[in-house]
Each structure stands twice: as structure tokens, then as C-alpha cells.
Amino acid sequence: MRKAIGGALAAALLLLAAGCSGSDDDSGGTTGGGKVELTYWSWAPNMDKVVEGWNAGHPDIHVTVNKQDGGDPAVTKLLTAIKAGSGAPDVMQAEYQKIPTLVSADAIADVAGEAGTLKAKFPDSAWNAVTLGSESVYGIPQDSGPMMFYYRADVFGKLQISPPATWDQYADAARKIHSANRKQYLGTFSANDPGWFAGLAQQAGASWWGVQGDSWTVNINDAATQKVAGYWGGLVQEGVIANTPMYTPDWNAALNDGTQVGWLSAVWAPGVLEGNAASTKGRWKVAALPQWDPAKPAGGNWGGSATSVTTQSKHKKQAVEFITWLNTDPAALKALAGTANIYPAATDATSTALTSPPAFFADQKDFYAIAAEAGKVSNPFTYGPNVNVAYSAYNDAFGKAAEAKQSAAFTGALATMQSTTVSDMKTAGFKVAG
Amino acid sequence: MTTLPAVTPAAERSAVTTAADRPGRGRRRSGTPYAFLAPALMLFTAFLGAPVVYAGYLSVRRVKISGLGLGRSSRVEQWAGLSNYTRVLTDSEFLPSVGRIALYGLIVVPLMLGGALLMALLIDGGRSRAGGFARTAIFLPYAVPAVIASLLWGFLYLPRISPIADVLNSAGLSAPNVFSSSWVLYAVANIAIWGGMGFNMIVLYTALRTIPGELSEAARIDGASDVQIALRIKIPVILPSLIMTFVFSLIATLQVFAEPMTLRPLANTISATWTPLMMVYRDAFIRNDIHAAAATSVVIAVATFALSFGFLKLVGSRAFRQED
């Protein structure tokens, strides 16, 4: 009896293995009567369920989702497959800041011919991220991360502070909170989260890279970013906000025990708060990002990704057809928001797909209205081909500055970031203007 | 930590006798030993020799990008000569990271080996009752992988969740910020000492066990104290083992990577180029420049080779004289 079960199990495993290798083998190939098989690498949860909707309605183009580990490992894997000449999927989820690196490695294809007309469906900032400000289109925006301000409504209420509309008011609120309770902070300056800082610089009007003719421009140490660095350096020097990194066990504990009573984050923050500070449920509220000039509202992005077609795909046309559906079709947007927990980049998604607030913010009915408002005003921001280098320089230089607690060190850190980034690009052979 | 199994003289001896048992056969079929060696040699070539040669090859190549770097024809691999090496050696981060691990080594090696020797002597002295338990307890941290150990210590270092900080706070003391620039080197060194002491203790203890009991007994009859026995008899006899553990610790110091890499997200004070091996990682996976990474690796390998063999040459003739 036991033997029989074992035999059946082994047979089942063999079948499974055969099934897996089978689908791997004919990835990118056609099977019988013109049916096209596409493979899709993504790390978003439940993406296979979203894709089921496509497969049901398109018997001639079948998409297989291949779940990947986060952004960086998937990019490394893709670059290896591209270098090896085979093994890349047809469609790939690509974070906005990785797109220049992927384009520069000739890993993702220009689909301007097939998808160039979709521009109107997305906010300028997202469209700029997939075009690098050029005529080419290296993917279709999938999700974006408009930045917002999250705060503990109970603490604000007790101290009679209203959510800050400007950065001056944010600084005042930080001072009030810290002087009322020496252990409490409205936020922390994280030297480990360059994406967070880039979003704040984007709001202030910075765009760190750019394309000028046949050369790159690098503007990390510009006036807008200087303003942001100086502002945070001042608050750290004053001691009214913390200087420890985000996403550490220490920071989680601080969110949970009420030592951190605010967080400048993005639209995906409710998931993080729910996971890290579950016991504070019901006490958080969300507001728009504080402004430099309330007369000219601006926003920034933290995170977000596009869906791109790889250069190894033999079915570029069908792949573009699929990613267009995935990121613009109302049913697909609804599935992306509801099943895959993604905040779709498409501008009309708010009205069709995001009708009820996230569970952690059940009381805040206007959650997605605030998010949509924040997404609309995001300034365009172009990433360069060596974002990793700039980000690593951010960690090192701002780590030192945060430790030194000197405002001058913060603005100085930007100069280090700029020179490290430019010299890396020049060493690699990129043409850099200026 | 890099460790190599210590070959005991007994094992060597038995291998020699079995070969000597059948001298006739061995001489007639002279191919046999090579057949036995072949698998090991193949593995050595495939997994050590070839990668080393390949790394050497990579280190003299480079990828040249032109213009915007977009598109198929914009990158070419070309001969680089020694330019990768000059870049590594003139990198402004290189010397500070070398200086950092030099200081790290000055802290870790004496403390770890001193502690290991002291504990080995204490357990060997037989005065402690729970010798077996103590031996296991001291060795146990070595069984914890460096990454896990770093995570564990990271939790103990973070003020808001550390039980140590809780105890200090309730005693009215404020816990020091272990991740501040003045403490972080010690924080990392502490993990290495914690993890490595037990291993070295076992090596030294095993060497101590080979000393015939009559030696200490005779010394004791002559009126020598435990300290005198340790200093005049035991330590000189196990000097070769001490030298071996020193060389291993030296190599481990040059290769320190897992601990700072794991602690990096928790602190402001550990840079991407904190140690030379982290520089290799940065070049390969952050800067996407496998060629510079290969050059840095070669530099580290040569330094490791020179330091360990230089040291052995320095002490070798004197330390191993007793064994001859």
C-alpha cells in the first residue's frame, strides 16, 4: 500500500517536473496553430491571478508568470540571461530607476512603434520614467508611488497640531512634538533610503539625470536638491527629528511604540505600517506631502515600476499587446489594485479600480483621492544608467552626515554624490556633459 | 571565518604505512596513484584553478561604453592592461578600508587568540568541574554562521530592542550607541571574537591534550605553579598550533565581509567600502564592473598570500624546530 502511494507520488512529481521543464523549453516558441507562448517575470504578489484574466480572453497568446525575488535579484538574473544570449523572459517587471541600466545593457526593447500612443493615459512623471525623456518607449508604466505624509492623528490631536501643509509647518510640528516628549520624533532622516530622498528632491524640482544630445547630464548637486538636503540637515542638527535609518528592527519598534509619530512615505505605506506597527491601527491618518510653495503644489515618487519587453523576445508585438492590456484595461487595473496590491500608474485607475481605502486606513474614505492628487503633480524625474552607484554614494555620504549631525555635512554630501556619480560614468566611457 | 581541517600527524603516518605495506605493486603500476589523485586534481582545477585564472584574465579586460551607452553597439570589451589595478590602488576608498581592517585585526586577533588560549589552558588544567560542558559552550558560537550571528548581535546592538540596553536603562545608565562611528569597529570585532574564539580554543586544547601528563607532573614535583607550567611547558610545546591559528585568523581578518555587510542596513556608519572585500562586492554588483572587482580580488589574494607566507617564513624555522 505504502509502496503504491510512493510510486504514485514519484510519478506525479515526474509529471510535474516534466510539465515545468516543458513550459520552460517552449518559452518564446510557438505551439501548434499559431498560439504564442509568453513568459513574464514579476515579483508582485498574485500576478498569476491577474494574468489569468488575460489568458481566459486571449486563447492565441498565452502568458506564463514566473515569480521572481524582488527587484535587484531579478535585474541581475535578467542581465545574466541577456549576456548569455538566452533564458530571458519576454516580459519583465522593471523598476523605474533600473530602466536606464537595463536599456544601457541592451536588455529591454524600445516599443515606441507599438505603444507610443499611450502617453495620455499616464501621468507625465511615469511616462518620462519609461522614455528617459527621449522619443523611445522602454516599457509601459505599471505602478507608481506618489509620496504622502502619514501621521499619528491621536498625537497630533493631543498637541493640537494640524497636519503640515508646508515644510515650514512640518519643521514646527517636529519641534513641538519633540519638546512635548523628548523621546518622540515626527520622522527620521534615513541615510539608507536614497529612493526616499530622491522622491523629496523630485518634489523640490530636481531631476538628477538627463539626456542632452548624445551625452548625459548629471544634476544631483543642484539648487533644488541642495534646498532639501539643507532642510533635513538643519532638522537633524537641531535634534528635532531622528537620524537613524528606516526599515530596521529598531525603526519598526519605534513606529509601533509611538516614538516615531510620522512617516513621509508613498501610497504603499499602509501595507508596511500594517506589517510593522499593527498595534497602532486606527490611529494613523494620511495627508498630502508638505509643500515648498503651496501656490505651486508639487509631488514626488518613491518606488514604482513598468512592464517592459526584453530584447530576447521573439514576439515583441504580442508582448506589447499584453502589457498594454495589463496596464490600461479597466478589468486588469482592477485586478492589479485588488489582487496584486499595486497602485496602478494609469491616471483613470483611481475612479475605476480604487474605490475603497486600504484596510489599515479603513476610516479614511478619501485615501485614494489624496493619492491621486499627489500622483497628478509629480514632477518628471529621469534616472541615469548608474543609479546604483549614486544610491550607494548617497548611503555612504549621508550616513556620515547623519552621524555628524551637521547641516553643512548634508549639503556637502551632495557634492560627494555628484562627483562619485560623474566620475563613475566617465570611467565607464559614457559621454557626460559638463 | 576560513577554516581548514587540521591534518593530524597520526593520519599522515597511517597513510604512509599502508602505502609501504605493498611496495612491489606500487612500483609496477606507477599509474595507480595518479588515477587516485585525478578526481581531486580535476575538482581542484575546475573549482579553484580555473576561476583563479579566469579572474586574472577578467582583471586585464574592461568594458568600454560609448556615447549615451544605449543600444547594442555601445559597449565593447577590450584589453585593459593594468589600468584596473592602478584604479584599485589609487581608489580613495582603498587605503582607508585597508587601514580599517588593520585596526580590526589588531583588536580581533590578540583578543580572540588570547581568550582561546586562556580557556584552553583553564579547561586543560582540569580544575574546573564542568570541563566538557564549558568546552561545548565555548565552541558553540562557532557553529552559528556569520550572517546569523551578525543579525543576532545586530538586534542586541539596537537600543530600542536590545535587552542589554533595557538592563542598563533600568539601572539608570544610558546605553552607548554601539553603531556610532567611535564604536562600530568594536561592535563588528566583537562578533568575530565571539564566533571565532571557540574554534581556536578547540584547536589549542587538542594540542594541549597531546602533551604527556608526566611533563606537568614532573614540573609540579619540582615545585612549579600552574602558571609556571603553562608559561614554561605548555605554551612552548603548542607554539606550532598557536602559529597555525594565528595564520588562519590573519586570513579571516583580510576576508572580513559577512558581519559588516549584514550590519550595514542597521547603521549609518558602515560604508559600502568598509573592508577590501566589500569593495569587490561594490565593484561587481553596485558598479556592475566585474573587471575592477576581479582586479581588487587579485590584489587581496596576493596580499593574503604574502602576509601568511611571510609570517610563516619569519617564525617557521624557530617555531617548528621542536617537531623535527
Side-chain angles (χ1 to χ4, degrees):
Chain A
M1 185 61 196
R2 191 164 287 175
K3 232 176 208 170
I5 294 176
L9 238 164
L13 276 175
L14 264 175
L15 272 175
L16 252 175
C20 290
S21 59
S23 68
D24 267 11
D25 284 344
D26 52 35
S27 68
T30 48
T31 46
K35 186 179 168 190
V36 172
E37 284 282 346
L38 298 175
T39 45
Y40 172 24
W41 285 4
S42 169
W43 55 88
N46 297 323
M47 192 53 98
D48 45 343
K49 288 187 189 130
V50 177
V51 170
E52 270 170 24
W54 164 268
N55 286 337
H58 298 80
D60 51 334
I61 305 173
H62 184 264
V63 178
T64 311
V65 176
N66 195 321
K67 182 103 195 247
Q68 298 294 312
D69 280 345
D72 280 349
V75 165
T76 310
K77 219 169 133 182
L78 178 69
L79 290 178
T80 312
I82 293 294
K83 205 164 183 194
S86 73
D90 297 278
V91 178
M92 164 88 181
Q93 180 179 359
E95 284 172 289
Y96 293 134
Q97 80 262 25
K98 295 283 159 54
I99 286 179
T101 309
L102 291 172
V103 173
S104 148
D106 196 29
I108 55 179
D110 178 3
V111 294
E114 294 86 351
T117 52
L118 297 172
K119 185 179 192 300
K121 289 190 175 286
F122 297 96
D124 286 347
S125 62
W127 193 253
N128 187 70
V130 296
T131 59
L132 311 179
S134 69
E135 293 302 312
S136 307
V137 178
Y138 296 106
I140 295 179
Q142 179 160 82
D143 63 313
S144 63
M147 288 184 83
M148 303 193 278
F149 172 60
Y150 295 85
Y151 64 100
R152 282 280 299 270
D154 54 335
V155 177
F156 271 62
K158 212 174 78 194
L159 295 173
Q160 294 178 327
I161 313 171
S162 44
T166 66
W167 286 110
D168 282 340
Q169 286 172 17
Y170 177 90
D172 282 339
R175 287 184 195 105
K176 260 186 212 154
I177 284 162
H178 188 62
S179 62
N181 179 348
R182 286 274 154 206
K183 280 189 175 163
Q184 263 176 352
Y185 293 102
L186 182 56
T188 185
F189 179 85
S190 175
N192 275 1
D193 290 284
W196 171 79
F197 184 78
L200 293 175
Q202 175 183 10
Q203 186 207 17
S207 179
W208 286 352
W209 285 269
V211 176
Q212 207 177 76
D214 64 343
S215 49
W216 286 93
T217 55
V218 182
N219 289 307
I220 298 174
N221 195 17
D222 66 346
T225 317
Q226 277 282 343
K227 180 168 73 176
V228 178
Y231 174 80
W232 287 98
L235 290 181
V236 169
Q237 185 174 348
E238 224 180 297
V240 292
I241 65 151
N243 65 341
T244 47
M246 295 171 189
Y247 288 102
T248 69
D250 202 53
W251 179 74
N252 292 347
L255 281 180
N256 214 9
D257 68 15
T259 338
Q260 288 279 334
V261 299
W263 186 24
L264 290 159
S265 184
V267 66
W268 39 259
V272 178
L273 290 174
E274 193 160 14
N276 295 343
S279 68
T280 57
K281 185 173 179 170
R283 295 184 212 157
W284 291 86
K285 282 244 178 265
V286 68
L289 203 60
Q291 293 294 329
W292 292 105
D293 179 1
K296 279 183 268 168
N301 269 294
W302 184 10
S305 51
T307 328
S308 296
V309 179
T310 71
T311 46
Q312 265 176 26
S313 174
K314 293 189 182 79
H315 306 285
K316 195 167 147 193
K317 194 177 140 282
Q318 289 89 338
V320 174
E321 221 175 290
F322 164 66
I323 63 176
T324 307
W325 171 86
L326 182 67
N327 298 312
T328 57
D329 185 87
L333 293 178
K334 209 169 171 74
L336 280 181
T339 320
N341 276 326
I342 272 175
Y343 180 77
T347 32
D348 57 357
T350 326
S351 51
T352 57
L354 302 158
T355 39
S356 57
F360 200 75
F361 282 78
D363 295 341
Q364 190 141 14
K365 298 285 175 236
D366 57 348
F367 184 94
Y368 284 118
I370 297 172
E373 208 52 48
K376 244 183 248 165
V377 293
S378 288
N379 290 325
F381 189 94
T382 308
Y383 291 99
N386 64 342
V387 173
N388 273 357
V389 174
Y391 277 16
S392 166
Y394 169 87
N395 286 352
D396 290 355
F398 277 95
K400 272 188 205 147
E403 212 48 34
K405 292 193 174 194
Q406 294 294 320
S407 178
F410 277 71
T411 44
L414 281 181
T416 312
M417 256 181 101
Q418 168 85 16
S419 63
T420 308
T421 309
V422 169
S423 83
D424 174 74
M425 287 180 80
K426 283 188 175 159
T427 313
F430 289 106
K431 214 166 159 192
V432 185
Chain B
M1 277 255 354
T2 314
T3 58
L4 296 166
V7 178
T8 60
E12 269 173 13
R13 220 176 296 129
S14 72
V16 171
T17 32
T18 27
D21 279 346
R22 319 178 192 86
R25 271 200 201 173
R27 214 175 294 144
R28 245 177 286 134
R29 296 191 200 165
S30 53
T32 319
Y34 297 104
F36 278 111
L37 269 176
L41 281 177
M42 267 159 60
L43 286 175
F44 180 85
T45 314
F47 293 108
L48 201 74
V52 165
V53 171
Y54 187 53
Y57 169 74
L58 282 179
S59 74
V60 290
R61 308 279 296 170
R62 59 167 298 176
V63 168
K64 185 83 186 165
I65 295 167
S66 52
L68 282 174
L70 308 177
R72 207 166 287 257
S73 54
S74 59
R75 38 187 67 213
V76 219
E77 198 183 306
Q78 54 179 225
W79 171 253
L82 295 178
S83 68
N84 285 324
Y85 288 95
T86 37
R87 254 176 68 207
V88 171
L89 296 172
T90 55
D91 191 315
S92 61
E93 301 289 320
F94 184 68
L95 275 184
S97 78
V98 169
R100 214 170 281 124
I101 58 157
L103 187 58
Y104 169 89
L106 279 177
I107 300 165
V108 169
V109 178
L111 279 177
M112 183 167 69
L113 292 187
L117 179 63
L118 185 70
M119 292 202 232
L121 286 168
L122 283 176
I123 294 173
D124 184 60
R127 294 284 166 93
S128 71
R129 276 188 200 175
F133 171 76
R135 211 168 58 220
T136 316
I138 297 166
F139 180 72
L140 213 56
Y142 179 68
V144 180
V147 173
I148 311 283
S150 309
L151 281 174
L152 202 116
W153 276 100
F155 273 76
L156 292 176
Y157 288 158
L158 287 168
R160 212 178 307 282
I161 50 173
S162 161
I164 301 170
D166 281 348
V167 172
L168 284 174
N169 287 339
S170 59
L173 299 163
S174 66
N177 177 8
V178 192
F179 285 133
S180 65
S181 45
S182 44
W183 282 89
V184 69
L185 189 72
Y186 303 96
V188 178
N190 174 50
I191 301 172
I193 295 170
W194 178 83
M197 199 185 278
F199 168 77
N200 291 296
M201 186 271 292
I202 291 287
V203 174
L204 299 176
Y205 174 76
T206 313
L208 283 173
R209 297 307 286 173
T210 62
I211 302 174
E214 300 90 61
L215 264 178
S216 325
E217 214 174 297
R220 200 161 286 126
I221 291 169
D222 284 346
S225 67
D226 280 347
V227 176
Q228 279 172 319
I229 293 174
L231 289 178
R232 302 268 175 84
I233 297 172
K234 289 182 173 174
I235 294 180
V237 173
I238 63 161
L239 200 58
S241 298
L242 263 173
I243 289 171
M244 186 189 76
T245 50
F246 182 84
V247 172
F248 284 174
S249 308
L250 200 70
I251 294 172
T253 296
L254 290 168
Q255 296 185 341
V256 60
F257 176 73
E259 293 92 347
M261 207 62 189
T262 315
L263 293 180
R264 191 165 130 76
L266 303 182
N268 284 332
T269 40
I270 300 175
S271 65
T273 51
W274 209 70
T275 72
L277 220 55
M278 286 170 77
M279 261 182 85
V280 176
Y281 182 88
R282 177 202 64 172
D283 287 343
F285 298 107
I286 295 175
R287 296 193 29 222
N288 237 330
D289 185 349
I290 200 87
H291 306 284
T296 318
S297 317
V298 171
V299 170
I300 296 174
V302 168
T304 313
F305 189 80
L307 269 178
S308 39
F309 278 83
F311 175 75
L312 282 178
K313 194 115 188 106
L314 190 76
V315 295
S317 54
R318 225 183 323 154
F320 293 104
R321 198 174 294 154
Q322 286 133 320
E323 276 204 331
D324 295 337

